[in-house]
Amino acid sequence: MRIQAIKTPVIEIGQDLLEVFRSSFAGELRERSIVCVTSKVVSLEQRRVVDLSKIEVSPEARRMRRLKYSKDIERYPGLAELILRESDRVYEGHYVYLTLKDGTFMANAGIDLSNVPAEGHAILWPDDPFGWARRFRDRLRSAYRLEQVGVLVTDSRCTPLRRGVIGLAMAYSGFEGIESQVGRADLFGRKLQFTEKAVADDLSCAAVLVMGESGESTPFAVVEDAPVTFTDREIGHNELNIDPKIDLFAGLYDAGVFEAFSKTDKGR
């Protein structure tokens, strides 16, 4: 498997990412390639950038206190309001606000103040990332005259009790992101009963490693010869999530997690 990070100019709000990719990628996209795109530039293309000074702040948001490593909600109370609006559940942690959004735990509902074009603005989580990945894949297939190609929208997350951030799949299209190993034999012939391979997350880790986390200006990566199964079927975000009742960490969750997940699941 080969991964090539693609350097681009600074991407502006509303800029067409396919045009940016085609003008920045010097090679010819091959069959069975996967184009990885960092979630932040997807948000920029979708104009998911908010002026925090123009947010109407609720009393609940004004009561939120600044935590040790949280964003500056005292300076930008609009940020606190967005955290509440964008989250299915909010927990006041020791260092940051831990939020549940679309069945995934993250800090501050995925809202980011870094690499924002203007001071006092925030970049929100992309709108309908799986739908965006499908549409971007269709455009790639048309532009490069390909049959089998994948798109992977990447993000970075912390893992409980482990240092550092890792790449995680926000959305994907064109390949199977979860591969069941159930029923396959191990080295000694015993059949596996539970194992599922998180293919999309594995690829995200590899892609984010070469794309970087700060000022590299490499928001794309092209993966070739990945050991994945390509598909044309429509994929939805529920495929990445596990019912919290059967999750390995279920014993750590309060009733609010089950309630929030249930509401999110019904809305899919």
Side-chain angles (χ1 to χ4, degrees), residues 130-150:
F130 272 90
W132 184 91
R134 287 193 299 272
R135 293 187 292 274
F136 193 72
R137 174 176 177 262
D138 288 341
R139 296 180 69 197
L140 282 172
R141 293 176 69 187
S142 176
Y144 288 95
R145 302 177 183 274
L146 299 174
E147 291 296 324
Q148 292 185 317
V149 65

Side-chain angles (χ1 to χ4, degrees), residues 82-96:
L82 286 176
I83 291 172
L84 293 177
R85 292 183 190 179
E86 293 284 317
S87 303
D88 299 316
R89 186 79 176 176
V90 179
Y91 295 89
E92 184 180 303
H94 187 64
Y95 294 110
V96 298

Side-chain angles (χ1 to χ4, degrees), residues 215-239:
E216 292 86 356
S217 193
T218 49
F220 298 100
V222 174
V223 181
E224 295 180 333
D225 298 327
V228 305
T229 300
F230 285 87
T231 180
D232 286 328
R233 73 181 184 87
E234 185 171 315
I235 301 170
H237 65 89
N238 57 330
E239 295 194 22

Side-chain angles (χ1 to χ4, degrees), residues 8-169:
T8 72
V10 174
I11 294 175
E12 305 293 338
I13 297 173
Q15 197 166 3
D16 187 310
L17 291 183
L18 180 61
E19 293 182 3
V20 175
F21 177 78
R22 296 191 71 183
S23 63
S24 302
F25 180 50
E28 185 65 23
L29 198 63
R30 297 170 49 196
E31 286 283 356
R32 300 179 63 81
S33 295
I34 297 175
V35 177
C36 305
V37 190
T38 184
S39 61
K40 181 169 289 186
V41 297
V42 176
S43 293
L44 287 173
E45 183 189 63
Q46 294 180 338
R47 302 181 183 273
R48 295 275 287 165
V49 181
V50 178
D51 184 344
L52 295 174
S53 68
K54 296 182 179 179
I55 299 296
E56 184 176 347
V57 183
S58 66
E60 184 181 3
R62 293 192 183 280
R63 288 193 294 269
M64 292 173 65
R65 63 190 184 95
R66 184 178 183 182
L67 304 178
K68 186 172 182 180
Y69 295 132
S70 66
K71 307 296 185 182
D72 194 349
I73 61 177
E74 293 174 354
R75 184 180 179 188
Y76 300 116
L79 176 60
E81 178 65 29
L82 286 176
I83 291 172
L84 293 177
R85 292 183 190 179
E86 293 284 317
S87 303
D88 299 316
R89 186 79 176 176
V90 179
Y91 295 89
E92 184 180 303
H94 187 64
Y95 294 110
V96 298
Y97 283 96
L98 180 64
T99 59
L100 184 64
K101 181 178 176 65
D102 291 346
T104 303
F105 280 111
M106 65 191 74
N108 299 326
I111 300 168
D112 204 343
L113 301 184
S114 62
N115 290 322
V116 182
E119 176 67 25
H121 288 63
I123 300 180
L124 307 183
W125 181 276
D127 180 47
D128 185 20
F130 272 90
W132 184 91
R134 287 193 299 272
R135 293 187 292 274
F136 193 72
R137 174 176 177 262
D138 288 341
R139 296 180 69 197
L140 282 172
R141 293 176 69 187
S142 176
Y144 288 95
R145 302 177 183 274
L146 299 174
E147 291 296 324
Q148 292 185 317
V149 65
V151 171
L152 174 61
V153 181
T154 67
D155 198 11
S156 298
R157 305 286 168 80
C158 294
T159 303
L161 302 180
R162 297 300 295 260
R163 294 181 62 178
V165 296
I166 63 171
L168 200 72

